[in-house]
Amino acid sequence: MGIIFPKELQQKPPPLAADFLNPMLTTAGQTMEALTDKAMSGRIAPILSKFVISREKIAAIGQSIKIILHPVDIFVLFFFSLATVPIAHVLYTVYAFVISHYSGKRVLVSGSDKKEISTKINGSHGFRNSYAYQFAEHLSQVARIGLLVYLADCLSATADILGFHTDEYYMSHVFAKLLYTIWAARRFKYFKKHILYEYVVKIKPESEKKILHINHLLDGIIYAITFFKVGDLLSVEMGLAMTSVFAFGSVGTLVFSLAGKDIATQAVNGLALTISDRMSEGDVVKFGDGTSGKVMKIGWLETKLRTFDDLLVTIPNTQLGTQRVCNMSRIVMCRVRPTLHFRFSDADKVPRVLEDIQEEIKKSCPELITDGSRPFRAIWTDIKDDHLETFIDCHFHLPPIGKKYWNNRQKVMEAIDRVLKKNEIELFTAVYPKLELGKLR
């Protein structure tokens, strides 16, 4: 009696060696394919072979460039790029000679661009500073950029024939837009600087330092706009790029925000101080907390102040943003208000002495304001327990700082002293009892 196998075993043939080898061979093939499919593996030689230039490639390159280049376009671009400025200079020179001939003014004209015409035409001196030169120079620069775009078209066609396939139309237009965008940003930068210094600094020379900071700020804005415009032209996904740059994680973002909050606040306050009219470097100021001195430097994060004690104090801009500022350098008038204490025995002389003091101050101080716009008075104000109190209130057309102020103040004191000596009056001086050191124990 033979062995009876189950039906499942009777239907299946016995396993063969190929059944075990096929999965292993498939896995090995995929591994070898993955090893050979690398970025550089086996690709260097084909790239180098594209630089081998044959006669057929040279002929194809020449034919392609011949189709791209248009003689009329090239001639016009070369003409405007090289001849615009010299032609404008000649026309300007002729115009200057005509104007000088009919106006009777002498004009010195030289064939060199370095020498300028010494007459005033259209508000400018010389060809280099004239509107004619600016127009010709800009037209010449536009033509030069056009030649560069033509050169980019030729290089793109050459690369396509060598085997580096590019979208010729796309590359040409992107390159042209990039060049003209960067050129326009640079020209706008110089035009902005010219406007600021021509129509602001010349009218208010004291604002030159402030205009310099504003000029740098506007430069940064122009650079940022140009950067994003160039990124848009290059089809850069700026939103994704910025997200990947600043995505430090929730904890990292929180730490960065907390650490940079004070710095950002100081920078904003420094920018506000720079572009505001509250103070400038070199001004003598007094802040609401009592700090006073000369402003040495206004930075983005802090301001340096030299006090009257010759101490250099550094103040964070966050503390200055909300403080009151008294800019004494911009005050054109000052006040001197001495207080005098008379004895009771001189009470009958006080009214006449005060009148004499007013007259003596008028003679001694020519800057004294006497037109009624500011008070000028010498008044008996109070009767104290041991003396009579008076004060003299004087205003002058002088700033409250500097050598002139202190010299004028000294003249006021000298005038008062002369009147007191003339009337044989000795001011009241409080006498305090002397305490012996042993009695304090």
Side-chain angles (χ1 to χ4, degrees):
M1 182 176 179
I3 300 174
I4 300 174
F5 293 97
K7 293 183 179 179
E8 292 80 4
L9 294 179
Q10 291 180 5
Q11 294 176 355
K12 292 183 179 180
L16 301 176
D19 296 335
F20 296 98
L21 292 177
N22 286 337
M24 296 176 62
L25 292 175
T26 302
T27 305
Q30 293 176 353
T31 304
M32 294 300 295
E33 184 179 356
L35 290 174
T36 56
D37 190 15
K38 298 296 181 182
M40 295 299 296
S41 179
R43 297 188 179 184
I44 297 179
I47 293 176
L48 294 177
S49 64
K50 295 179 181 180
F51 290 97
V52 178
I53 302 177
S54 60
R55 293 182 178 180
E56 292 78 8
K57 287 184 178 181
I58 294 176
I61 292 173
Q63 185 66 25
S64 179
I65 293 177
K66 184 178 179 181
I67 296 173
I68 293 175
L69 297 180
H70 295 276
V72 177
D73 294 349
I74 299 298
F75 173 78
V76 171
L77 292 176
F78 266 108
F79 177 81
F80 280 105
S81 63
L82 300 178
T84 305
V85 175
I87 291 175
H89 191 190
V90 172
L91 296 176
Y92 182 86
T93 304
V94 173
Y95 176 69
F97 269 121
V98 173
I99 293 297
S100 63
H101 176 73
Y102 283 100
S103 63
K105 297 179 181 179
R106 186 185 175 190
V107 183
L108 301 177
V109 181
S110 174
S112 175
D113 286 342
K114 296 181 180 180
K115 295 184 179 180
E116 298 179 349
I117 302 172
S118 62
T119 189
K120 186 175 183 181
I121 300 176
N122 294 331
S124 302
H125 291 277
F127 175 66
R128 287 287 181 178
N129 296 326
S130 65
Y131 293 110
Y133 172 76
Q134 296 297 329
F135 177 77
E137 179 64 21
H138 282 73
L139 192 60
S140 176
Q141 292 179 9
V142 171
R144 292 170 193 169
I145 295 176
L147 290 175
L148 289 177
V149 174
Y150 253 108
L151 178 61
D153 291 341
C154 296
L155 293 177
S156 178
T158 302
D160 190 64
I161 293 174
L162 292 178
F164 300 96
H165 298 290
T166 59
D167 190 340
E168 196 172 321
Y169 177 82
Y170 175 78
M171 293 295 294
S172 175
H173 279 68
V174 168
F175 185 72
K177 289 181 179 179
L178 286 177
L179 287 181
Y180 282 111
T181 299
I182 297 174
W183 173 81
R186 287 177 56 85
R187 300 319 303 170
F188 184 76
K189 171 186 172 183
Y190 292 123
F191 176 75
K192 171 262 306 173
K193 183 178 180 181
H194 171 75
I195 293 297
L196 290 176
Y197 282 86
E198 187 72 18
Y199 297 100
V200 180
V201 176
K202 285 188 177 181
I203 298 176
K204 297 177 63 177
E206 66 276 5
S207 64
E208 182 176 2
K209 293 181 179 179
K210 186 183 300 181
I211 294 299
L212 179 63
H213 291 291
I214 295 176
N215 182 53
H216 291 331
L217 174 64
L218 294 178
D219 285 344
I221 295 176
I222 293 174
Y223 291 147
I225 294 175
T226 305
F227 172 77
F228 285 106
K229 181 62 178 177
V230 169
D232 181 64
L233 291 175
L234 295 177
S235 299
V236 177
E237 297 293 337
M238 295 304 297
L240 180 59
M242 298 302 290
T243 303
S244 62
V245 170
F246 292 105
F248 299 113
S250 57
V251 177
T253 303
L254 178 61
V255 173
F256 180 79
S257 301
L258 294 176
K261 182 183 66 174
D262 294 337
I263 297 177
T265 304
Q266 291 181 5
V268 171
N269 289 327
L271 178 61
L273 288 175
T274 300
I275 64 178
S276 68
D277 199 37
R278 300 173 67 189
M279 62 182 180
S280 301
E281 294 180 1
D283 291 347
V284 177
V285 298
K286 184 177 181 180
F287 295 109
D289 60 358
T291 306
S292 60
K294 184 178 181 180
V295 179
M296 304 304 296
K297 182 180 180 181
I298 302 177
W300 289 98
L301 303 179
E302 59 190 14
T303 298
K304 293 184 178 181
L305 194 74
R306 186 175 296 278
T307 65
F308 298 116
D309 297 329
D310 206 26
L311 300 176
L312 189 63
V313 180
T314 301
I315 307 174
N317 290 332
T318 51
Q319 298 181 10
L320 301 180
T322 57
Q323 282 200 49
R324 294 176 295 175
V325 179
C326 177
N327 194 331
M328 293 184 287
S329 296
R330 301 179 186 179
I331 301 176
V332 296
M333 291 183 290
C334 66
R335 181 187 188 190
V336 178
R337 190 182 182 279
T339 301
L340 306 178
H341 296 163
F342 290 88
R343 300 176 185 273
F344 284 112
S345 59
D346 298 326
D348 295 337
K349 300 180 181 179
V350 169
R352 180 168 51 85
V353 169
L354 293 178
E355 292 178 0
D356 293 344
I357 289 176
Q358 284 184 292
E359 293 298 328
E360 190 67 24
I361 292 175
K362 287 181 181 180
K363 297 177 182 178
S364 304
C365 304
E367 295 85 4
L368 179 67
I369 300 177
T370 58
D371 57 359
S373 60
R374 294 292 186 275
F376 174 50
R377 54 199 171 192
I379 301 177
W380 182 353
T381 58
D382 201 357
I383 300 176
K384 300 294 184 180
D385 294 335
D386 52 0
H387 67 274
L388 307 175
E389 185 177 271
T390 64
F391 80 90
I392 294 89
D393 191 11
C394 315
H395 294 260
F396 302 88
H397 287 292
L398 289 173
I401 57 174
K403 186 177 180 179
K404 290 183 178 181
Y405 167 77
W406 292 108
N407 289 340
N408 181 76
R409 188 180 181 89
Q410 181 176 332
K411 290 180 181 179
V412 174
M413 302 305 163
E414 291 174 352
I416 295 173
D417 182 66
R418 286 193 295 269
V419 173
L420 294 177
K421 288 180 178 179
K422 178 182 176 181
N423 291 273
E424 298 179 352
I425 292 180
E426 184 178 353
L427 294 177
F428 170 80
T429 303
V431 179
Y432 297 98
K434 296 182 180 180
L435 297 179
E436 297 181 5
L437 187 60
K439 294 182 179 181
L440 296 175
R441 296 178 181 176

